[in-house]
Amino acid sequence: AQKVTQAQTEISVVEKEDVTLDCVYETRDTTYYLFWYKQPPSGELVFLIRRNSFDEQNEISGRYSWNFQKSTSSFNFTITASQVVDSAVYFCALSEDRRGGADGLTFGKGTHLIIQP
Amino acid sequence: DTAVSQTPKYLVTQMGNDKSIKCEQNLGHDTMYWYKQDSKKFLKIMFSYNNKELIINETVPNRFSPKSPDKAHLNLHINSLELGDSAVYFCASSQRRTGALNTEAFFGQGTRLTVV
């Protein structure tokens, strides 16, 4: 069965610091998809990124970057020059390819990121 | 236009009551889901519907029943509500693909259910 581990329950940094959120996953499928979602204090779930198991290219989007390493089953998320608006709970999630992903997402327990001014 | 919308946003009800939460998506997706987020923020899938067919059903009490009148709607009915049912319930949708890229799941804004 699939599993996602976010070992960091809470991280607190001062604004403008860089911060990395860790995500380690387990799956028996060779084809799978990894996601990051943001849940701000308002409560909605905001999609950030999707990565396929056959694409290990790292991705950068503005201050956000993601490092996918199949060798260590990790999909880490880095925020550069953090801002107070980045304060939220961040979830890493996994979707296996069998049945076309209709099994839904398996989420990690989330990392609560606090950016202090 | 909201991609995935759920109503109501807040629901307070007494133990033993029966209630429903509605969900609609206008993305043309063929798969819809219900997730439960508990008080510790842990998100877990409850149901998945694809083309009106129930795909998965996790260890969810049979007091919970999903109902899909068409592929744009997936409602959640809960009978005989219990205190432990208090949580935030999220509806989501995605496009199921085989042998190709899977799409991300788009989530509704959530329904905070409080059972008193």
Side-chain angles (χ1 to χ4, degrees):
Chain A
Q2 65 270 34
K3 183 180 178 182
V4 176
T5 301
Q6 294 179 256
Q8 304 149 309
T9 304
E10 184 175 289
I11 300 174
S12 181
V13 300
V14 177
E15 199 172 20
K16 297 184 183 176
E17 286 186 17
D18 299 346
V19 59
T20 296
L21 309 183
D22 297 333
C23 173
V24 174
Y25 62 91
E26 295 175 29
T27 177
R28 289 175 295 185
D29 275 16
T30 55
T31 304
Y32 51 89
Y33 305 87
L34 296 164
F35 303 78
W36 277 94
Y37 285 85
K38 174 182 180 180
Q39 187 172 42
S42 51
E44 70 272 24
L45 284 162
V46 179
F47 166 78
L48 296 178
I49 189 172
R50 179 191 71 236
R51 217 61 186 140
N52 311 307
S53 56
F54 42 85
D55 182 2
E56 283 193 77
Q57 220 172 4
N58 291 329
E59 181 152 339
I60 298 175
S61 176
R63 296 183 297 105
Y64 294 173
S65 61
W66 290 269
N67 184 301
F68 175 29
Q69 291 194 338
K70 286 178 75 170
S71 60
T72 55
S73 297
S74 64
F75 186 42
N76 297 337
F77 173 29
T78 297
I79 301 175
T80 303
S82 59
Q83 300 176 1
V84 172
V85 293
D86 295 327
S87 297
V89 180
Y90 290 86
F91 292 97
C92 181
L94 168 73
S95 172
E96 294 179 332
D97 190 50
R98 54 195 179 93
R99 295 192 292 198
D103 290 338
L105 299 172
T106 296
F107 283 89
K109 292 189 176 181
T111 297
H112 185 198
L113 178 62
I114 301 167
I115 309 298
Q116 299 179 18
Chain B
D1 262 357
T2 304
V4 182
S5 60
Q6 354 177 171
T7 53
K9 188 170 182 181
Y10 299 97
L11 183 55
V12 181
T13 187
Q14 290 187 328
M15 280 175 51
N17 284 350
D18 302 338
K19 288 294 178 186
S20 295
I21 306 173
K22 294 185 177 180
C23 178
E24 176 182 5
Q25 55 97 1
N26 62 8
L27 297 166
H29 287 165
D30 63 2
T31 306
M32 295 183 72
Y33 313 82
W34 278 105
Y35 289 83
K36 179 180 180 180
Q37 185 172 42
D38 63 21
S39 58
K40 295 184 178 180
K41 296 276 192 182
F42 184 53
L43 278 155
K44 187 172 181 181
I45 190 159
M46 300 175 69
F47 301 105
S48 166
Y49 250 80
N50 177 270
N51 292 327
K52 299 189 181 182
E53 181 184 357
L54 180 64
I55 301 296
I56 61 170
N57 184 342
E58 293 288 317
T59 54
V60 172
N62 58 14
R63 298 181 295 103
F64 290 79
S65 57
K67 296 213 188 320
S68 180
D70 55 60
K71 80 172 193 176
H73 296 83
L74 183 65
N75 304 324
L76 182 64
H77 297 272
I78 316 169
N79 296 325
S80 304
L81 278 155
E82 301 177 357
L83 293 176
D85 298 332
S86 295
V88 179
Y89 293 85
F90 285 96
C91 176
S93 74
S94 70
Q95 183 65 27
R96 173 182 176 179
R97 299 211 172 121
T98 304
L101 294 179
N102 226 330
T103 64
E104 59 272 20
F106 289 88
F107 285 80
Q109 78 275 30
T111 296
R112 182 174 294 278
L113 171 66
T114 304
V115 182
V116 297

